[in-house]
């Protein structure tokens, strides 16, 4: 198995632009998580899905952030409009329901 | 609500010496506890978990952790450190009574193993 796949690996954009991050979870996993990691705030859970349904989005910082999971093999995290303070590494993780999570390599987002 | 503390931002140890990375937690019910490792420019990798049973849990790469309910701790240990163990280590907890999957991660401890 290829593991959790995230794209792009690096994204540089200008303030005000729309950014879309993509995630393909491990096949058969029924839970998917989006995290943000920064030096200042550490690792923050943004949202998680169970069986494609958003369960807890209380970590989504603002209405500028939205996440979707249209099917079991794909999820997106969108930021519109982006701001410099959104610069971070965004991780997607999936879980088969046995508690441990499997993380993707992350997307490093830089908003200028 | 659950929480995790990793009291040391940085741990330095000489290669070949034993290492300990500390973690304490708080949950209202019984905990599920986890350790993850993050190498530079990589995602987090699962090391080991405690769910129930034996308080001493063995995981990947020779790491182990001991669950201590009275001290609400789950310290990560390795008998003999390697330079390649240098990385960022995260402890995480989930409340067994939480039927969602709301994990809480600690702030991380940077381990440096010196040759």
């Amino acid at each position: 198995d290829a593991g959790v796949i995230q794209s792009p690996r690096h994204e540089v954009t200008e303030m005000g632009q729309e950014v879309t991050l993509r995630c393909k979870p491990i096949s058969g996993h029924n839970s998917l998580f989006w995290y943000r990691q920064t030096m200042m705030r550490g690792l923050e859970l943004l949202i998680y899905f169970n069986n494609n349904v958003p369960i807890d989005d209380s970590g989504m910082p603002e209405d500028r952030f939205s996440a979707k999971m249209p099917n079991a093999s794909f999820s997106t995290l969108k930021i519109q409009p982006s701001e410099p303070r959104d610069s971070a590494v965004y991780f997607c993780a999936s879980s088969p329901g046995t508690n441990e999570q499997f993380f993707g390599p992350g997307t490093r987002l830089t908003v200028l | 609500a659950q929480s995790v503390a990793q009291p040391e931002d940085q741990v330095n140890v000489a290669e070949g010496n034993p290492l300990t990375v500390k973690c304490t937690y708080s949950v209202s019910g019984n905990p599920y506890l986890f350790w993850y490792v993050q190498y530079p420019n990589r995602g987090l990798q699962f090391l080991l978990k405690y769910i129930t049973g034996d308080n001493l849990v063995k995981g990947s790469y020779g790491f182990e952790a001991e669950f201590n309910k009275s001290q609400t701790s789950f310290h990560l240990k390795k008998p003999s450190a390697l330079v390649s163990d240098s990385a960022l280590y995260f402890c995480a907890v989930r409340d067994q009574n939480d039927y969602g999957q709301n994990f809480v991660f600690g702030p991380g401890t940077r381990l440096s193993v010196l040759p």
Side-chain angles (χ1 to χ4, degrees), chain A residues 1-58:
Chain A
D1 197 317
V4 175
I5 298 172
Q6 290 186 247
S7 64
R9 293 294 310 275
H10 301 272
E11 176 79 37
V12 180
T13 190
E14 292 186 347
M15 182 174 63
Q17 296 297 306
E18 177 180 297
V19 174
T20 299
L21 311 182
R22 297 173 175 80
C23 176
K24 176 178 170 55
I26 294 173
S27 177
H29 285 193
N30 60 355
S31 295
L32 183 140
F33 305 78
W34 282 102
Y35 290 90
R36 177 171 69 177
Q37 186 178 36
T38 61
M39 290 292 292
M40 290 296 293
R41 301 172 71 96
L43 193 65
E44 303 173 276
L45 176 65
L46 300 177
I47 186 172
Y48 76 90
F49 296 84
N50 193 40
N51 294 323
N52 312 338
V53 175
I55 302 300
D56 184 353
D57 65 355
S58 60

Side-chain angles (χ1 to χ4, degrees), chain B residues 6 8-10 21 88-91 105-110:
Chain B
Q6 294 181 243
E8 299 156 317
D9 293 336
Q10 173 92 30
V21 182
L88 188 58
Y89 290 81
F90 291 93
C91 183
F105 283 83
T109 297
R110 188 164 301 280

Side-chain angles (χ1 to χ4, degrees), chain B residues 51-100:
Chain B
I51 302 298
T52 187
D54 194 346
N55 289 345
L56 185 63
V57 178
K58 294 187 182 297
S60 307
Y61 313 120
F63 284 94
E64 59 187 29
E66 185 166 12
F67 170 60
N68 187 317
K69 188 172 183 177
S70 63
Q71 297 186 6
T72 61
S73 67
F74 189 58
H75 301 331
L76 182 70
K77 299 181 180 183
K78 187 172 182 181
S80 178
L82 300 173
V83 172
S84 57
D85 293 330
S86 298
L88 188 58
Y89 290 81
F90 291 93
C91 183
V93 67
R94 178 190 152 195
D95 191 330
Q96 292 189 20
N97 294 331
D98 176 6
Y99 294 101

Side-chain angles (χ1 to χ4, degrees), chain A residues 9 30-31 33 35 37 42-43 45 48 50 55-56 91 95 97-105 108, chain B residues 32 34 36 38 41-46 49 51 88 90 94 98-103 105-107 110:
Chain A
R9 293 294 310 275
N30 60 355
S31 295
F33 305 78
Y35 290 90
Q37 186 178 36
L43 193 65
L45 176 65
Y48 76 90
N50 193 40
I55 302 300
D56 184 353
F91 289 104
S95 172
T98 57
N99 290 298
E100 59 265 40
Q101 298 180 17
F102 297 82
F103 282 74
R108 183 173 297 276
Chain B
Y32 294 140
F34 309 84
Y36 288 81
Q38 185 180 27
N41 301 312
R42 303 283 296 275
L44 279 69
Q45 295 178 33
F46 169 75
K49 66 180 177 182
I51 302 298
L88 188 58
F90 291 93
R94 178 190 152 195
D98 176 6
Y99 294 101
Q101 289 205 41
N102 192 6
F103 289 72
F105 283 83
R110 188 164 301 280

